[in-house]
Amino acid sequence: DSGVTQTPKHLITATGQRVTLRCSPRSGDLSVYWYQQSLDQGLQFLIQYYNGEERAKGNILERFSAQQFPDLHSELNLSSLELGDSALYFCASSVGLAGAEQYFGPGTRLTVT
Amino acid sequence: QQQVKQSPQSLIVQKGGISIINCAYENTAFDYFPWYQQFPGKGPALLIAIRPDVSEKKEGRFTISFNKSAKQFSLHIMDSQPGDSATYFCAAGASGARQLTFGSGTQLTVLP
């Protein structure tokens, strides 16, 4: 158990809908990262927050957004969902800003029908 | 230049054998190289990591070998066990950068 929690574990929704994925980092970790894992793209970095502020962006679509709250939990919002958004979404956390030693949560499996 | 190339895609090893997974990178700014282990339905778990100031790091049955001049690193699993059957990902990160760049993964099967 990494100490990173994610909810929900599974999510099934229809195209065009909006969903919110939630992540709580390990105790003491200030950085939260979001990754998407799909069969054809592997693990792709989406976005990082550090102590409430966005610090890095990767291959994140404009339809996706995230935020980190004062209690350091983070939410990833996915809107106007398409079939291709079906994937596993992981969050990871680390102590510092630099990204070393990232610890992953169990993931949220999103299925868009 | 941001890619990390991982091979093989899949690997079958007999119990007690040595599993070897290789990764190569191009970006010389990378200075942190972790390996992650992922079981079905679980998140990737940090297994072992190395920085380029050493050529080898060993933790139990797991060893990372690092060749800075060739820009390659590999994971060796000694005395492989059926419980090691999982997908292994190499990754690379750079100081000052935030994200890890992952390889495509190797599905390891250890036969009993």
Side-chain angles (χ1 to χ4, degrees):
Chain A
D1 184 2
S2 67
V4 179
T5 61
Q6 288 186 250
T7 57
K9 190 166 185 176
H10 301 279
L11 203 47
I12 301 174
T13 189
T15 54
Q17 294 299 303
R18 173 191 168 95
V19 296
T20 298
L21 313 183
R22 182 188 169 106
C23 166
S24 292
R26 294 187 319 157
S27 177
D29 285 358
L30 298 179
S31 277
V32 169
Y33 311 79
W34 286 97
Y35 289 86
Q36 180 192 58
Q37 185 177 40
S38 59
L39 283 174
D40 56 344
Q41 294 291 324
L43 268 162
Q44 297 282 319
F45 169 72
L46 297 177
I47 197 164
Q48 180 211 12
Y49 276 80
Y50 175 79
N51 204 21
E53 292 187 10
E54 181 188 305
R55 298 309 294 258
K57 253 184 177 178
N59 300 320
I60 188 166
L61 300 171
E62 285 191 10
R63 300 183 285 110
F64 296 0
S65 65
Q67 54 185 328
Q68 186 179 28
F69 295 87
D71 67 353
L72 300 177
H73 90 271
S74 177
E75 293 181 356
L76 179 67
N77 301 296
L78 315 176
S79 61
S80 303
L81 285 167
E82 302 174 359
L83 295 177
D85 297 328
S86 296
L88 274 165
Y89 291 85
F90 290 103
C91 95
S93 73
S94 69
V95 171
L97 182 58
E101 294 194 3
Q102 293 182 23
Y103 295 88
F104 281 73
T108 293
R109 180 175 292 279
L110 173 65
T111 302
V112 182
T113 62
Chain B
Q1 198 177 17
Q2 289 296 322
Q3 278 189 319
V4 176
K5 295 183 179 178
Q6 183 172 346
S7 64
Q9 188 174 358
S10 63
L11 181 61
I12 299 175
V13 173
Q14 292 287 340
K15 178 182 174 181
I18 302 174
S19 305
I20 302 174
I21 305 170
N22 301 299
C23 285
Y25 64 96
E26 290 293 326
N27 188 348
T28 54
F30 287 147
D31 59 1
Y32 174 69
F33 303 92
W35 285 88
Y36 283 82
Q37 178 189 57
Q38 186 178 26
F39 293 103
K42 304 290 185 184
L46 180 60
L47 195 59
I48 185 172
I50 197 169
R51 294 196 180 270
D53 51 344
V54 296
S55 60
E56 186 175 282
K57 182 174 182 180
K58 184 175 181 179
E59 288 185 3
R61 296 185 293 110
F62 300 91
T63 300
I64 300 179
S65 296
F66 183 79
N67 186 329
K68 188 174 181 178
S69 60
K71 291 185 283 187
Q72 295 175 349
F73 58 109
S74 60
L75 177 69
H76 296 234
I77 305 174
M78 313 300 287
D79 187 26
S80 298
Q81 299 296 311
D84 296 330
S85 297
T87 301
Y88 292 81
F89 293 92
C90 64
S95 297
R98 310 294 182 239
Q99 70 269 31
L100 294 174
T101 300
F102 282 84
S104 54
T106 296
Q107 188 167 349
L108 172 66
T109 302
V110 181
L111 300 175

